[in-house]
Amino acid sequence: MQPNPPAPHAATVDAKGVHVTTAAGKSRTYSGGEVITLTQVIDLAEGAATLCQSSTETCLELVDESTQLAADCDELIAEITAKGVGENLIAKSEYLKEQLTLQAHAAHKLRDQIQGGEEACRTASANAEVRHGAIFRAVADSPLTKPAERDFYNAR
């Protein structure tokens, strides 16, 4: 039996905790306390994956912006050289271009790492349902409202 593919959840983080809105429109807040149910595990994993996804988009924007600014520095260096303004200004512009290129590479590397984290969260969410969903549903559907007495678990 294959589970339904995970659906993305909207998630935000603030001082009060992680706020997750499921695909069904339900909203939950996790304050960092203990996770109690399988549904909460899946929601948190999907929420974390969604946050990772938005972070990768931000990293890509930073890569594009840094690359564009580095190209602008090339044009600036060419203009300064053509006008013969000064070696000091050219050196500072080249240093700025270097730093922007390093920033673009770092943002791209961070994006790749975050993307790996997103995949891990989505895998954890899917695996939680596959591995634990049947027992979770059995317990949730059970008419029993409290656990068995200790002797039941200790009996051989």
Side-chain angles (χ1 to χ4, degrees):
M1 177 174 111
Q2 291 292 326
N4 294 331
H9 293 5
T12 57
V13 179
D14 62 19
K16 294 180 182 178
V18 178
H19 308 284
V20 177
T21 304
T22 66
K26 294 181 181 177
S27 181
R28 295 186 181 99
T29 299
Y30 301 101
S31 63
E34 183 178 346
V35 175
I36 299 170
T37 67
L38 180 65
T39 305
Q40 290 175 325
V41 170
I42 292 170
D43 286 351
L44 284 173
E46 284 299 317
T50 302
L51 288 174
C52 287
Q53 185 178 16
S54 67
S55 296
T56 58
E57 292 166 4
T58 302
C59 286
L60 282 177
E61 290 171 7
L62 183 58
V63 168
D64 291 343
E65 188 175 323
S66 297
T67 304
Q68 180 59 45
L69 288 172
D72 291 347
C73 282
D74 275 337
E75 292 175 17
L76 181 63
I77 291 168
E79 286 180 29
I80 294 170
T81 304
K83 292 181 181 180
V85 175
E87 293 298 318
N88 192 22
L89 185 57
I90 293 173
K92 288 185 181 201
S93 298
E94 287 174 349
Y95 177 76
L96 178 60
K97 178 188 166 201
E98 226 175 83
Q99 294 303 308
L100 287 165
T101 304
L102 288 174
Q103 178 175 305
H105 289 298
H108 195 274
K109 182 179 176 182
L110 182 60
R111 176 199 159 264
D112 291 344
Q113 291 171 340
I114 293 172
Q115 204 167 28
E118 177 187 356
E119 290 171 15
C121 289
R122 295 209 190 279
T123 301
S125 173
N127 286 345
E129 174 61 32
V130 170
R131 293 180 181 160
H132 307 289
I135 191 69
F136 176 75
R137 282 187 294 283
V139 170
D141 294 343
S142 171
L144 302 175
T145 57
K146 63 180 184 175
E149 297 295 325
R150 181 181 301 270
D151 293 337
F152 172 81
Y153 297 108
N154 291 334
R156 292 184 188 217

